[in-house]
Amino acid sequence: QSALTQPASVSGSPGQSITISCTGTSSDIGSSNLVAWYQQHPGKVPTLMIYEGGRRPSGVSNRFSGSRSGNTASLTISGLQAEDEAAYHCISYTTNRGWVFGGGTELTVL
Amino acid sequence: QLQLQESGPGVVKPSETLSLTCTVSGGSINNENYYWEWIRQPPGEGLEWIGNVYYTGSTYYSPSLKSRVSISIDTSKNLFSLNLSSMTAADTAIYYCVTHRRGSSWHGPWGQGTLVTVSS
């Protein structure tokens, strides 16, 4: 099972919107909506931002949204803020009944 | 509120077997609604899913680690464990124990993580 493909880095200015992609195959992202996104600040435990492809846990800002099309999932952050600067990881269920992560994306707020 | 805490050695010698334990508090591990899993993160790198165990003892492992990994559960002690054999420097990482809701992509809560370094 290969890791999902994410861009190594993305950047944006405060107030702008950015989108992070997560590309897999028909054996993972393309097989179900069981996709999640995690935010991780340096030295911290990952925090769930999106689950089931597009649902937000209570307490997560509505500036964060998720979607899925075919074998690709996406995380969009609107109204970028300095506190959004972090690493973002996608994870998907696989048809092997396991899970697979993406390589992670570093977001820089300029 | 479930809480998870990893315990185990901080340093393991090459070729040896890593053994970690995750103690669960705030709820029973003997619960059909949750899987119990291990995730790791090498320094400066991304997250890697290692595998999980259900309260029945059934397990699923990452194909890339399947030949070296074993995850078990002890419902009487409310804990689950990870064994990873033939350790190399590439296995140096922060190891997290995590709970995962059955039928959902919601993974959490997470333990604080424990850094395991492979060094002679």
Side-chain angles (χ1 to χ4, degrees), chain B residues 43-113:
Chain B
E45 297 185 25
L47 299 164
E48 181 180 18
W49 186 80
I50 298 172
N52 66 23
V53 62
Y54 196 44
Y55 79 104
T56 58
S58 65
T59 55
Y60 298 100
Y61 301 132
S62 166
S64 65
L65 296 170
K66 188 174 183 178
S67 64
R68 298 195 291 131
V69 68
S70 174
I71 299 174
S72 60
I73 191 166
D74 188 334
T75 55
S76 67
K77 296 181 180 179
N78 227 41
L79 58 81
F80 62 106
S81 301
L82 168 71
N83 280 349
L84 185 62
S85 64
S86 304
M87 293 282 284
T88 71
D91 296 311
T92 293
I94 297 172
Y95 286 75
Y96 296 99
C97 60
V98 188
T99 188
H100 159 232
R101 297 183 186 184
R102 183 184 177 198
S104 170
S105 55
W106 185 311
H107 299 256
W110 295 52
Q112 284 301 302

Side-chain angles (χ1 to χ4, degrees), chain A residues 42-78:
Chain A
K44 301 298 185 182
V45 177
T47 301
L48 181 67
M49 306 304 285
I50 296 289
Y51 68 105
E52 266 66 303
R55 300 182 67 180
R56 277 188 308 275
S58 174
V60 172
S61 170
N62 60 8
R63 298 186 298 105
F64 291 83
S65 62
S67 64
R68 183 178 70 95
S69 177
N71 298 335
T72 298
S74 299
L75 173 71
T76 297
I77 309 173
S78 59

Side-chain angles (χ1 to χ4, degrees), chain A residues 1-19:
Chain A
Q1 188 75 45
S2 299
L4 307 174
T5 300
Q6 296 181 236
S9 63
V10 298
S11 63
S13 299
Q16 287 187 331
S17 294
I18 63 95
T19 296

Side-chain angles (χ1 to χ4, degrees), chain A residues 14-96:
Chain A
Q16 287 187 331
S17 294
I18 63 95
T19 296
I20 300 172
S21 62
C22 175
T23 302
T25 69
S26 58
S27 296
D28 37 66
I29 292 177
S31 70
S32 76
N33 71 335
L34 295 180
V35 177
W37 290 90
Y38 288 84
Q39 177 191 67
Q40 186 180 29
H41 288 105
K44 301 298 185 182
V45 177
T47 301
L48 181 67
M49 306 304 285
I50 296 289
Y51 68 105
E52 266 66 303
R55 300 182 67 180
R56 277 188 308 275
S58 174
V60 172
S61 170
N62 60 8
R63 298 186 298 105
F64 291 83
S65 62
S67 64
R68 183 178 70 95
S69 177
N71 298 335
T72 298
S74 299
L75 173 71
T76 297
I77 309 173
S78 59
L80 268 180
Q81 299 179 3
E83 66 205 48
D84 300 331
E85 185 163 295
Y88 291 84
H89 309 273
C90 60
I91 182 173
S92 172
Y93 186 63
T94 78
T95 53
N96 292 325

